[in-house]
Amino acid sequence: MTPPSPPRLRALRHVGLRTTAFEESIEFYQGPWGLTLVERDENIAYLRATGPEHHVLELHRSQVNGLHHIAFAATGPAEVDAAAEWVRAEGARILEEPGRVDRPGGGYAFRFADFENRVLEISAETFAVPEQNVEAPVPRKVAHCVLNTTDIDAAVAFYTRLLGLRVSDWSERQMVFLRTNPDHHVIAFNQHGWAAPNHVAYEVGGLDAFMRTIGRLKVAGHETAWGPGRHGPGDNAFAYYIDPAGLVPEVTAEVLQIDEQTWQPRVWPRTPEMSDLFRTAGPPSPYVREHMGGVADPGWV
Ligand SMILES: [Fe+2]
């Protein structure tokens, strides 16, 4: 039986990255970045924020930088099963059938490939973790993941139809911002010459925590690659860095909360005053743009 509608995903759980600087990146993300290493082996590391997820970042040792997978939350196994049937009926390639997960964090999940061979996971009933102070000036969750795509219209079609995400805003025809809960975006796409992860953003509990995070990184020798500033689309404060592998993490705060009943997507002109509401950051440098562009990622399957 085909379910009648796309899944209603509750949140972005975690992002897995393939990294060419595995050990150095573990040191960076559990050091000045402020995550906690909860488990690792020779090739995979799991890092936790202060929020309820078992982990928000997986690092996978690799010869090439890229995306490993993105995990979204459903509320229970029945929703996971229904989501699997939905994406299968829509023609997506199932990579792992729904079932109990024998990986750190546990849960009940399935995996499938998107139209550019990115691996997506939908899971439920993951392990509870000890409560921590989510107001501390360290990441409490993954706020969003931005992906470079060769076809932004195909990306919108796939992620709205198969995953039930909604368009929150456009940045001209260059970027599109997609939500699955009140956060303005959990996924965004950037039109580009190839598929690749553009950046992963980590949320802290407000502007004070945001500035303290920038300060901690600065004291540890890490200057911002772009920012601090405040984006027009999403209204979130931003500061971008380059990690030891050349991948781009962002610290963010105060992302716009959307009322599902009344929201109307807009198109933001890519002008300096609309791109950075603080007017502190200036335009991104060729250096940070090159790192956000990444290298062509065929997917890991
Ligand atoms: Fe971002």
Side-chain angles (χ1 to χ4, degrees):
M1 193 179 72
T2 303
S5 59
R8 187 65 187 263
L9 303 176
R10 298 318 199 267
L12 178 61
R13 282 199 198 282
H14 63 253
V15 174
L17 295 173
R18 290 177 288 123
T19 176
T20 57
F22 182 68
E23 298 293 345
E24 299 88 336
S25 294
I26 293 171
E27 288 310 308
F28 173 75
Y29 285 105
Q30 73 165 341
W33 199 253
L35 299 177
T36 302
L37 180 67
V38 287
E39 195 163 333
R40 65 158 295 173
D41 60 22
E42 264 307 289
N43 296 310
I44 311 175
Y46 300 83
L47 294 119
R48 184 175 298 169
T50 57
E53 294 297 336
H54 175 271
H55 58 279
V56 297
L57 174 65
E58 288 181 23
L59 296 171
H60 293 252
R61 186 191 296 272
S62 176
Q63 301 295 319
V64 186
N65 286 339
L67 184 72
H68 190 276
H69 72 282
I70 300 174
F72 297 93
T75 54
E79 276 194 13
V80 173
D81 287 341
E85 286 314 303
W86 174 259
V87 305
R88 193 196 316 272
E90 291 291 318
R93 185 160 56 108
I94 304 288
L95 304 170
E96 286 181 18
E97 294 289 340
R100 289 287 153 194
V101 173
D102 187 24
R103 288 186 287 261
Y108 183 92
F110 78 104
R111 287 182 170 183
F112 62 109
D114 82 359
F115 70 106
E116 287 179 317
N117 207 29
R118 295 180 193 87
V119 177
L120 306 177
E121 177 182 301
I122 296 177
S123 68
E125 295 187 344
T126 53
F127 293 149
V129 300
E131 193 174 330
Q132 297 180 73
N133 176 14
V134 294
E135 302 306 324
V138 293
R140 58 186 185 187
K141 67 176 185 179
V142 173
H144 60 260
C145 180
V146 176
L147 303 162
N148 297 315
T149 178
T150 61
D151 189 341
I152 199 165
D153 293 311
V156 170
F158 189 98
Y159 280 75
T160 56
R161 178 75 183 165
L162 276 80
L163 288 100
L165 305 191
R166 281 86 69 198
V167 172
S168 292
D169 275 319
W170 290 83
S171 175
E172 296 183 357
R173 297 296 289 180
Q174 180 62 44
M175 291 187 73
V176 63
F177 300 86
L178 302 165
R179 72 179 180 282
T180 194
N181 57 33
D183 288 348
H184 178 271
H185 55 287
V186 292
I187 296 289
F189 283 94
N190 175 55
Q191 179 69 39
H192 194 60
W194 53 81
N198 181 291
H199 68 270
V200 178
Y202 302 81
E203 185 186 277
V204 296
L207 278 186
D208 186 75
F210 175 78
M211 293 307 295
R212 288 176 191 275
T213 301
I214 293 173
R216 181 179 66 247
L217 283 153
K218 186 182 179 75
V219 168
H222 301 280
E223 297 288 341
T224 62
W226 184 31
R230 185 164 210 136
H231 286 307
D235 198 36
N236 52 313
F238 67 84
Y240 293 86
Y241 293 83
I242 311 291
D243 84 4
L247 292 160
V248 179
E250 172 192 0
V251 56
T252 191
E254 299 193 342
V255 66
L256 183 68
Q257 297 299 292
I258 281 186
D259 177 357
E260 197 69 41
Q261 302 310 317
T262 60
W263 184 255
Q264 298 179 37
R266 300 162 295 178
V267 178
W268 291 76
R270 293 174 71 82
T271 58
E273 64 273 19
M274 302 297 253
S275 296
D276 175 15
L277 304 178
F278 283 163
R279 300 308 303 274
T280 47
S285 66
Y287 169 72
V288 74
R289 290 174 69 93
E290 182 187 333
H291 284 279
M292 287 175 161
V295 295
D297 183 358
W300 68 270
V301 176

